[in-house]
Amino acid sequence: QSVLTQPPSASGTPGQRVTISCSGSSSNIGGNTVNWYHQLPGTAPKLLIYSNNQRPSGVPDRFSGSKSGTSASLAISGLQSEDEADYYCAAWDDSLNGWVFGGGTKLTVL
Amino acid sequence: EVQLVESGGGLVKPGGSLRLSCAASGFTFSSYTMNWVRQAPGKGLEWVSSISIGSSDIYYADSVKGRFTISRDNAKNSLYLQMNSLRAEDTAVYYCARADHYFDFWGQGSLVTVSS
């Protein structure tokens, strides 16, 4: 049972826009910034979005993040086949004094 | 180029011990908080432990508290995780990750298997 809640799966067709939600509480998302990671099978996770809505250099602007209250969302527009991966949200939790992750969302490009 | 290379994983019996190492290069290691994050087979990511730049602030997940010890040697650009009293549920790929406010670089991971 993860502290942050994500849907286990999401899907879309090439060119579509998909969103992945991440729900938390006041001790994590509500009081701290949210980061998103993606992971291809058999590889290490990579930073996708940091500080709620910032993209590291090299990440296409098709990826965007937002946060409102105790929830956050990752949006992917212009879906491409290479976007098929697992996506995780994360935030620092002030009550647990540690990082918490969502359970992950497996994105399938149909 | 930032590089994080884990080593020390392997097969260990329940109740046994293992020490993971992470060799860092390409950045000023002593300026960053470092972390261990693990991923059980087929499961999601789980943060394990964090250590601040001078080792003054150390945090552990409840699942490993009292059994695992994180440490670092800034002179050797290295991060460590001493794992004692290992359980089957500790079986996972263990990643070393650099993070102040987000995990911006990750190692390739080291597999730890706890089985009799």
Side-chain angles (χ1 to χ4, degrees), chain A:
Chain A
Q1 191 90 2
S2 302
V3 174
L4 304 182
T5 301
Q6 297 179 235
S9 63
S11 63
T13 56
Q16 266 191 333
R17 182 177 188 269
V18 297
T19 61
I20 297 171
S21 62
C22 176
S23 177
S25 68
S26 58
S27 64
N28 41 67
I29 293 178
N32 297 293
T33 57
V34 177
N35 309 307
W36 291 89
Y37 305 88
H38 67 156
Q39 184 180 34
L40 296 171
T43 68
K46 287 185 179 178
L47 180 65
L48 190 63
I49 296 287
Y50 67 95
S51 298
N52 302 328
N53 54 20
Q54 302 299 301
R55 284 186 308 278
S57 61
V59 173
D61 59 6
R62 302 187 296 106
F63 294 89
S64 62
S66 64
K67 179 186 126 173
S68 178
T70 59
S71 294
S73 289
L74 172 71
I76 309 171
S77 60
L79 201 60
Q80 300 179 4
S81 58
E82 55 261 39
D83 298 333
E84 198 163 272
D86 293 325
Y87 292 81
Y88 296 90
C89 59
W92 179 262
D93 191 296
D94 294 324
S95 295
L96 297 174
N97 267 331
W99 291 95
V100 291
F101 284 92
T105 298
K106 184 175 183 62
L107 176 64
T108 301
V109 181
L110 303 169

Side-chain angles (χ1 to χ4, degrees), chain B residues 1-79:
Chain B
E1 178 196 5
V2 173
Q3 282 201 322
L4 298 169
V5 180
E6 301 93 339
S7 60
L11 175 63
V12 61
K13 290 182 168 53
S17 298
L18 212 55
R19 189 195 197 206
L20 300 181
S21 299
C22 171
S25 60
F27 67 101
T28 305
F29 180 76
S30 58
S31 297
Y32 288 86
T33 294
M34 296 298 296
N35 298 258
W36 290 98
V37 178
R38 69 184 180 182
Q39 186 171 35
K43 302 296 185 182
L45 300 171
E46 180 190 15
W47 169 79
V48 173
S49 183
S50 288
I51 185 168
S52 62
I53 58 178
S55 305
S56 58
D57 295 314
I58 290 176
Y59 303 100
Y60 296 99
D62 286 344
S63 57
V64 306
K65 204 171 291 184
R67 301 187 299 122
F68 290 11
T69 302
I70 192 173
S71 62
R72 65 190 295 163
D73 186 335
N74 289 338
K76 294 183 177 180
N77 292 337
S78 293
L79 176 71

